[in-house]
Amino acid sequence: MACTGAELTALQAEHRQRRAALLAALMQPDLRPQGVRRILRALSDASDTLLRALWGRAHIGRQAALVATGGYGRRQLFPHSDVDVLVLVGTGAATAAIETFIACCWDAGLRISSSVRTLPECLQASGADLTLQTALLEARRLAGSTRLFAELRTAHARALDVRAFMQAKLLELHQRHTRHEHTPYALEPDCKESPGGLRDLHLVLWLARAARLGTSWRELAERGLATPYELRQLQRNEAMLWLVRARLHVVAARHEDRLVFDLQAAVAQAFGLTDTQGSGGRLLRASEQLMRRYYWAAKAVSQLTQILLLEIEERVQPASEPLILIDAEFLQKGSLLEIARRDLYERRPQAIVRTFLRYQSTPGITGLSVQTLRALYNARPLMKRAFREDEANRACFMQILRQGSGVTHALRLMNQTSVLGRLLAPFRRIVGQMQHDLFHAYTVDQHILMVVRNLRRFFMPEHAHEYPLCSQLATGWDKPWLLTIAALFHDIGKGRGGNHSQIGAREVARFCRRYAAHGITGEDAALVEFLVAEHLLMSQVAQKQDLSEPAVVAAFARRVGNERALTGLYLLTVADIRGTGPRVWTAWKGKLLEDLYHATLAVLGGRTPEPATEIEERKRDARVVLALHALPPLAHERLWRTLDVGYFLRHDAGDIAWHARQLWSLVGGAQPVVRARKSLAGEGLQVLVYTPDQSELFLRICGYFDRADFSILAARIHTTLDGHALDTFQVIARHGNTGVRELMALVQDGLPRALDPRTALPEPRPRRLSRRARSFPITPRVTLRPDERGERWILTLSATDRAGLLYLVAQVLARHGLSVQLAKVSTLGERVEDTFVVSGEALQSAERQLRIEQQLLQALAQP
């Protein structure tokens, strides 16, 4: 018999009232993490009460059992998680009554995830479905037949192959960690699925339960799988993750396990956190404080679960490999490094650092044994000031950095085991440090280790195809470990307020003085300090300044000083940009850096840039290219006579030849000419526009690319002596996987029509900002200053990126009659830093300059 409307209403009201009280208690800022267990159990119990009432009213009989599975089965029900239930049916079960029961559950407001199966169907399904097999491990009877449930438990335990189950779950773990890039330090982590999240803790208990080693942390400790200290750490950090996830559900008002930027501030507020002043006067956001707590908990969970998984694996399948003596302190146990005695670190704290040297330098070692990991975890109190200042530890650390291979692996393992931050005190300050710059995809410590990895790859022949120039330069670099030190310190000053490059330079100078006895002195120390202090310089010059200006390259060369510093800075810059996130590096940025490197190398080699000589060399090289394409003799001269010195200085020989091939028969024509080719930089298109000059030309071009969904990366704007615009654009499509030929045809067909002055200019298209950009808005900045000669003006803009932004800027410039001669668009994740070289009469008036800057700020701030 179905529940009546009145019955449902009463049950639903009682359940909602109970849930509301529990959720209110959950959001109390003074709730301690340990108190969340009680609330999760109470939420589970509330669902138990409602389900049992509905089950009783459905009159299903004794031939079925209602079973809780999954997280609900272990009495950990989060506010918006599904209520997972299995209706286990026997012979003669009342199918209609079961259907009525399930309908009543939904009508009562329960978010149930239900399945109805017989015992044989359960066993068959669990044999083919690892998720169901796992969920049944935590099955809990709610109502109905005790006999059926007991039969299910017995049959499931009998059918479970513990070793096969463990192997499958560990493979599943690896796949899950791979999806999350094997780091708990993503800026928007999944507090359930990411490494160091709750799922890692679930896995340990699933395997322990399957192997009959225990069903709780306390039982594992009682059976010797965890120490009393580890037990306390497990309980404390699990409770922290519980509280984060539970409050995240409440704040999001839905099942949401990702700490996305939109929700971090609200969750932080639930913890009672507020924005405060940090060290150096820097604003320490509440969300940043929350994420720091989360990362520390996730790191502890990663360490502890690794220990327990190895412990369980040894209990289930004891290692058969013989122990091989490495030295008096270490043994090789299969592919793992084992300490010779459990109290090694207490007796000899210096062996802590030596662990990583042995791991790095012993052939066949790929990891640390459970005994070694456990000893390292418990040795953290030993790593204090005396540990950092011990000369033997310093010497050993330098040996690790000087090894020919395994440096990245050793440093990562040192960070995972909390040794690196205790050996280098400044490093510990940036572990789990968020970055609110909209282009870094990792926390500071993970970014630093990513940069170390990128640098090390330059020295590996198997990676030479990735960045050929970097690999070529690396072969002639004498001390790779100097670059590793520079990478370790380049961002170590973040989070303290002030210029992080200068803070890092002071820290690395202090490091060099302390490690002077171990080979970091004189020119080497000065080089490392320079690299850290100036690690942003090369990127800024390449992406924001006009490299065709000899004065720009000469000034950069003076600041760098010598070829060794230039090469080191180039290698560090490429590794740094590549380590910020998957969307920051582009082939175009790579080309700009290469161009700056080669131009600066020539200056440092004593070659004084002579414009006339440079132009003749480029013309000569262009003629060679033209000869290969069978262009009529002297056909290019007609075009070249219309071009001035500035054109030849701003374009290389390849571009000059391409322009001549496309335009030699069209010089002086009245119709627009648009040609496109695949960019020689490796991605996107290079677009040539040749047309009689007109006002608002740059605006029209920007409007077309905005409407056609292209991003402009760079523009070279030139006006010929006979009044034609000869402009070159580097663009990249924002849409789909359209082929290069289709994109070329699209541009060559559509752009000429957009240049017709009779065509109305399009309105900017409104576009939504990304979640990340909304959460961490950038204050727009505009600077306008004359160049060194006072002939042109340098306009720099910084703002949150969005499609169509350049079109809005072009509108302001056109409104004031400013012509753009050069544009460089630098996109850093969600932030843009654009540089323009402009000219126009309006710039001669201070009042007009102020108006231009104000209107640009308004355009950049538009939602």
Side-chain angles (χ1 to χ4, degrees), residues 263-542:
L263 301 175
Q264 287 176 8
V267 176
Q269 186 177 5
F271 276 84
L273 300 172
T274 58
D275 294 351
T276 61
Q277 289 297 118
S279 59
R282 186 181 71 91
L283 177 66
L284 193 60
R285 302 181 188 214
S287 60
E288 188 175 344
Q289 299 170 55
L290 169 73
M291 296 309 297
R292 195 73 178 268
R293 293 187 188 185
Y294 170 82
Y295 292 134
W296 281 101
K299 183 175 184 179
V301 167
S302 293
Q303 293 175 272
L304 290 164
T305 54
Q306 186 180 12
I307 291 170
L308 290 173
L309 287 173
L310 286 171
E311 188 77 68
I312 293 171
E313 198 169 0
E314 284 195 2
R315 298 285 183 101
V316 172
Q317 190 170 357
S320 58
E321 298 95 338
L323 291 173
I324 301 173
L325 182 67
I326 296 176
D327 57 28
E329 296 175 333
F330 299 100
L331 307 168
Q332 183 170 349
K333 186 178 183 180
S335 61
L336 303 178
L337 184 68
E338 173 97 357
I339 52 177
R341 51 185 300 164
R342 292 180 184 273
D343 61 350
L344 172 64
Y345 299 142
E346 295 174 13
R347 293 164 58 87
R348 303 178 193 171
Q350 294 171 339
I352 293 173
V353 183
R354 284 199 292 271
T355 301
F356 301 95
L357 181 60
R358 292 290 174 268
Y359 160 78
Q360 179 187 33
S361 59
T362 305
I365 295 291
T366 60
L368 305 182
S369 73
V370 61
Q371 182 167 288
T372 307
L373 286 169
R374 171 163 284 141
L376 284 171
Y377 188 78
N378 288 278
R380 290 179 298 171
L382 301 174
M383 294 180 270
K384 296 181 179 179
R385 182 172 181 176
F387 176 82
R388 290 192 294 273
E389 295 179 353
D390 188 289
E391 289 300 325
N393 286 339
R394 290 175 175 175
C396 187
F397 184 57
M398 287 304 301
Q399 280 186 274
I400 291 171
L401 298 181
R402 285 191 169 104
Q403 291 294 307
S405 62
V407 176
T408 303
H409 292 302
L411 291 176
R412 280 181 171 168
L413 189 57
M414 290 179 75
N415 189 40
Q416 290 166 11
T417 53
S418 302
V419 174
L420 185 56
R422 284 172 165 79
L423 186 62
L424 299 179
F427 192 89
R428 192 178 184 197
R429 299 180 67 167
I430 50 89
V431 172
Q433 173 70 50
M434 290 187 71
Q435 305 193 69
H436 299 289
D437 50 21
L438 296 186
F439 65 97
H440 280 91
Y442 314 102
T443 54
V444 181
D445 56 320
Q446 292 301 297
H447 164 68
I448 284 175
L449 294 177
M450 190 72 73
V451 175
V452 170
R453 184 207 72 156
N454 293 342
L455 279 168
R456 295 297 303 172
R457 286 165 77 100
F458 296 155
F459 293 86
M460 300 177 185
E462 61 268 30
H463 296 293
H465 63 284
E466 296 175 348
Y467 305 99
L469 178 58
C470 291
S471 295
Q472 177 187 336
L473 295 175
T475 59
W477 188 266
D478 58 337
K479 297 177 180 178
W481 52 273
L482 293 176
L483 296 177
T484 301
I485 294 171
L488 278 174
F489 281 87
H490 81 285
D491 274 355
I492 214 163
K494 284 194 170 180
R496 302 197 206 174
N499 186 318
H500 78 274
S501 299
Q502 296 305 316
I503 294 172
R506 290 196 295 270
E507 291 287 5
V508 81
R510 190 177 297 117
F511 173 86
C512 291
R513 289 194 298 271
R514 291 173 176 171
Y515 280 70
H518 308 288
I520 311 180
T521 57
E523 292 182 357
D524 289 344
L527 173 63
V528 171
E529 185 176 351
F530 166 79
L531 293 177
V532 174
E534 304 288 4
H535 72 273
L536 299 175
L537 174 64
M538 193 168 194
S539 177
Q540 291 171 343
V541 172

Side-chain angles (χ1 to χ4, degrees), residues 118 149 163 186 189 211 214 312 323 331 388 397 399 408 489 517 580 595 666 695 701 751 783 786 805 815 820:
T118 64
F149 179 69
R163 291 187 179 183
I312 293 171
L323 291 173
L331 307 168
R388 290 192 294 273
F397 184 57
Q399 280 186 274
T408 303
F489 281 87
T580 54
D595 290 348
L666 303 170
S695 62
I701 295 172
L751 182 51
T783 60
L805 187 65
R815 192 180 304 142
V820 177

Side-chain angles (χ1 to χ4, degrees), residues 1-2 58-60 89 92-104 116:
M1 178 180 177
H59 303 297
I60 294 173
V89 298
T95 306
I98 292 172
E99 292 175 355
T100 299
F101 163 73
I102 293 173
C104 285
V116 181

Side-chain angles (χ1 to χ4, degrees), residues 163-212:
R163 291 187 179 183
F165 178 74
M166 175 176 288
Q167 184 180 45
K169 295 305 289 186
L170 291 176
L171 286 173
E172 189 179 69
L173 169 76
H174 179 74
Q175 291 173 350
R176 176 165 54 82
H177 284 191
T178 299
R179 288 197 304 273
H180 295 276
E181 299 183 344
H182 295 280
T183 177
Y185 299 116
L187 297 187
E188 292 184 305
D190 187 311
C191 60
K192 179 182 176 184
E193 299 288 342
S194 289
L198 286 167
R199 187 61 84 206
D200 285 3
L201 294 169
H202 298 160
L203 175 62
V204 173
L205 290 176
W206 289 333
L207 296 182
R209 187 185 291 264
R212 299 178 183 171

Side-chain angles (χ1 to χ4, degrees), residues 769-791:
L769 292 175
S770 69
R771 288 185 299 101
R772 189 171 179 179
R774 290 197 305 271
S775 301
F776 303 116
I778 292 176
T779 302
R781 289 184 174 85
V782 174
T783 60
L784 188 60
R785 57 179 176 82
D787 65 7
E788 293 182 356
R789 299 178 183 176
E791 299 174 355

Side-chain angles (χ1 to χ4, degrees), residues 619 623 626 631-643 660 664 667:
K619 285 183 175 181
R623 291 189 188 99
L626 291 171
L631 207 67
L634 305 179
H636 58 276
E637 290 293 341
R638 185 181 173 198
L639 174 65
W640 286 8
R641 282 195 294 270
T642 70
L643 303 174
W664 68 274
V667 176

